[in-house]
Amino acid sequence: MRRFKLKFPSEKTLKKYRYREALLISLIAFFVWLPSVQVSFIQSPMLREADFRFTLRNLLGIEFLPNPNVVAVEIDEHAVSQVGRWPWDRRIIGDLLGNMSEASSVAMDILFSEPSNEESDAYLANKMVEANNVILGYILLNDNTTSTVSSDQISALLGCAYSNINLESETTNITLITNSQLSLSRFLNSAMTCGYFTILLDSDGIYRRYATALVYEEYLLAPLAIQSVRYGQNQLEHITLDEHGIKRFELGNISLNDANSMLVNFYNKEDVQKVSAYDIYTGAISPSFFKDKYVVMGVTDLGSYDIRPTPVSKIYPGLYVHYSMLSNLLDNTILVTKPYFTNLTIAFAIFLAYLASFVRKTGRRVVMYFVVILGVAFITNLLFFTNLYLIYAFYAYVGVIAFALLKEFLNILITEIKSSNLRKTFETYVSTEVVSDILKNPSKLKLGGVSKEISVLFLDIRGFTSISERSTPEGLVSVINHIFNRFTHEIVNNEGLLDKYIGDAIMALYNAPLDIENHGDKAVTSALNIMAALDELNREFEANGTPHIGIGIGINTDECIIGNIGSDFRFVYTAMGDGVNLAARLESITKFYQSNILISDNTYNKLANPSAFHIRMLDKIVVKGRTEPTSIYEVLAHRNADNATNTNNNYDELIRLYQQALNLYMNRDFVGASKIFIHLYRTHNDYPSGIFISRCKYFLQGDMPPDNWDGSYVMTSK
């Protein structure tokens, strides 16, 4: 028999094909692409690493304070305890607005969507008109919430929309909103303008971004913070839209490119300049305090306010998000991020790791990899602290680690090549799975075995003599190798372990050496898939003029001894025991019943999903060499395998009638059983039915079984 050797690439070959450069290019391409994948579990670590910059900024004591002219007016616990539970009478809100009339703008993170009493509503509307600085909030959302919005409310939004827009494309990628919750039209018309207080949520459930614009009812609408700057400074925006969205956004000294959203540069909660609404209401804070200031007003009472998890706190009032964004806009301290910033960082980091890989000593090489990671961390954090550049460096770190691990793996592979001959020799005696298991657990390399429930499959080729008579030795080996190759693939694909080839037979184990679930089902599936492969092989043989072959398969599930069996210098991994012998007997008696696949009652009873197959109880027998009867089952096909309803119905009818006849037979009603068996033999050409016809005839001729007969048939041959 000709021997084939499996050759690993040599160290010279690996160097010839410049594996380091290939690794460099592949990893750069992969990790540059990865940040664009919009999946939470992929993006989450990248975003969380960037969030850590805020924590690090605090730990290093780097001062980042909000604009002193921005004030958060809170309807807080103190105010609620003094005035009463929220919502308050709208006359109180009107008085608060009257006391803040000198402010440049008062952005209200509050919704007045339902009328209260006419007197209070009229009072609040009049105070809005008198103050002439109120920016009324509303909600834009895409969900299944049903809310009634009047045409007057929609019309009022026109005065809140952006107006100076330059279109460079017929379509644009601004987020389209389908639903809203608006304040009453009397309040919308009384306020100076309005702005949405919807905040964008990232895929990992953290609020980081502030939408520059959203589209609703064909209006391009602005958020609270931008409206505060637009109207507080009486500035006209300049917006350029292209197919990707906002190509350019300009407002006063603010100039942003590719700005569908802005990254909020959050402040610590303790640094927010805040006052209690109660102190304004009582006059403890003078109205002059608010002169030329930008106010954001909302509820922060613990029982009422919306909590937003952000990079600086898991419990961050939504009011503070608008506060932070407004201060960012006034100070021009919005975080800057561009995809190419991150991509260049990833490429640069992996390239540095590539250079570090040329250091010869392993210890120094590992140190250099860590130096690269620390260098990238230092630069990206420095740019964040000094220039407000937010660079997502996480995948740069992972890229360096991936390059280092893969490079070191290749180093190990090159070393392994030098000693691979021993491994390859070992693998000629035992399966690859066993070799891998032994390498993980060297203590398993001993002659002793263990008792374990496994499913054993025996397969024997029928008609092989005809092929051997017509073939040369070389041709015969080629044919048997072709057959075994197809059958072995079906075994391995269902997690079976090829135990051995025995001439023109195969022995396979399931649930050894490693545990697998539903090993009986997988053994049966393997058998059916082998039958399908046999059909294809016979079509090939027919085309080549080679005789057809058949197979018989026996499967048994039982406790067997498995382990390394043999001498101290030569052994094989295999199974032994009565359960193995029964599987071999079942394979042998497939010829007696002219069946393809027989399984024991042990296997049938332990199938996790027997309804997936067409199976019938075939007989109750005592195999040669045993004294106890065994019920045997014939596996006919996968259920619905060919999606042919009539085929499945034929199997169902055959199984149902055969079971009826078998029950009658076991109960000694040989006349009734014989009638059904004759019907099955004629209509289905069912060979096992023919066997039972002969048995019934034998008994009816006067040789009735004894009274203690259990219905079993004693096999007289293997």
Side-chain angles (χ1 to χ4, degrees), residues 436-685:
S436 300
D437 194 29
I438 290 171
L439 290 176
K440 292 178 182 177
N441 304 281
S443 61
K444 292 186 177 182
L445 191 60
K446 57 185 180 181
L447 292 179
V450 296
S451 178
K452 185 178 184 181
E453 182 186 86
I454 61 173
S455 292
V456 184
L457 180 149
F458 268 93
L459 179 153
D460 186 53
I461 299 176
R462 311 281 160 72
F464 193 70
T465 302
S466 300
I467 297 177
S468 61
E469 289 174 349
R470 302 185 184 188
S471 303
T472 63
E474 292 82 1
L476 183 62
V477 169
S478 176
V479 171
I480 192 67
N481 284 345
H482 183 53
I483 295 171
F484 279 174
N485 180 60
R486 292 295 303 276
F487 293 172
T488 303
H489 273 294
E490 299 302 336
I491 292 169
V492 173
N493 288 344
N494 284 283
E495 301 184 66
L497 169 65
L498 176 67
D499 185 86
K500 60 174 71 71
Y501 299 115
I502 314 167
D504 58 358
I506 294 175
M507 175 179 170
L509 309 178
Y510 295 78
N511 205 37
L514 307 177
D515 294 337
I516 61 172
E517 293 182 357
N518 306 330
H519 47 87
D521 298 68
K522 291 179 180 177
V524 172
T525 300
S526 294
L528 289 170
N529 291 350
I530 288 171
M531 292 304 304
L534 176 67
D535 291 339
E536 296 179 8
L537 285 170
N538 278 330
R539 285 194 290 272
E540 293 177 18
F541 291 160
E542 185 176 352
N544 297 331
T546 304
H548 283 200
I549 62 170
I551 58 174
I553 298 175
I555 300 172
N556 181 41
T557 301
D558 207 346
E559 289 281 334
C560 299
I561 302 300
I562 57 172
N564 300 296
I565 312 298
S567 66
D568 57 358
F569 62 90
R570 176 70 180 270
F571 50 84
V572 293
Y573 185 88
T574 189
M576 59 190 299
D578 185 60
V580 178
N581 296 335
L582 179 56
R585 295 286 187 273
L586 291 175
E587 176 273 313
S588 179
I589 63 176
T590 55
K591 290 179 283 188
F592 178 78
Y593 293 96
Q594 293 191 11
S595 299
N596 296 120
I597 305 169
L598 294 182
I599 65 174
S600 68
D601 49 3
N602 270 356
T603 299
Y604 179 79
N605 292 331
K606 293 188 177 182
L607 289 177
N609 187 21
S611 61
F613 314 104
H614 288 291
I615 301 176
R616 64 171 168 176
M617 181 180 172
L618 193 63
D619 202 352
K620 188 175 183 180
I621 63 173
V622 179
V623 300
K624 189 173 180 61
R626 302 185 80 183
T627 58
E628 294 296 323
T630 300
S631 295
I632 61 173
Y633 293 77
E634 181 183 23
V635 181
L636 299 170
H638 285 289
R639 186 172 292 276
N640 292 325
D642 54 2
N643 293 320
T645 303
N646 61 330
T647 301
N648 287 307
N649 288 340
N650 288 340
Y651 280 131
D652 289 336
E653 181 188 53
L654 170 64
I655 293 169
R656 179 178 59 81
L657 293 177
Y658 189 89
Q659 186 63 54
Q660 287 180 11
L662 191 61
N663 290 340
L664 293 172
Y665 174 83
M666 294 294 180
N667 290 318
R668 306 163 68 95
D669 182 358
F670 301 118
V671 174
S674 181
K675 290 180 180 178
I676 301 176
F677 282 130
I678 291 171
H679 170 76
L680 290 175
Y681 186 77
R682 290 175 177 173
T683 57
H684 292 271
N685 194 27

Side-chain angles (χ1 to χ4, degrees), residues 131-199:
N132 195 31
N133 62 358
V134 175
I135 301 170
L136 194 58
Y138 60 91
I139 302 174
L140 296 179
L141 66 167
N142 282 327
D143 63 8
N144 296 322
T145 303
T146 56
S147 59
T148 303
V149 179
S150 68
S151 58
D152 289 342
Q153 288 174 296
I154 297 298
S155 298
L157 289 180
L158 176 60
C160 306
Y162 290 118
S163 57
N164 191 18
I165 304 169
N166 177 37
L167 292 173
E168 292 187 354
S169 172
E170 293 182 0
T171 60
T172 188
N173 196 32
I174 301 293
T175 300
L176 178 65
I177 303 298
T178 59
N179 207 348
S180 69
Q181 292 181 16
L182 305 177
S183 292
L184 298 174
S185 57
R186 72 184 305 172
F187 298 127
L188 287 170
N189 292 323
S190 299
M192 178 173 60
T193 188
C194 59
Y196 59 80
F197 47 77
T198 303
I199 306 170

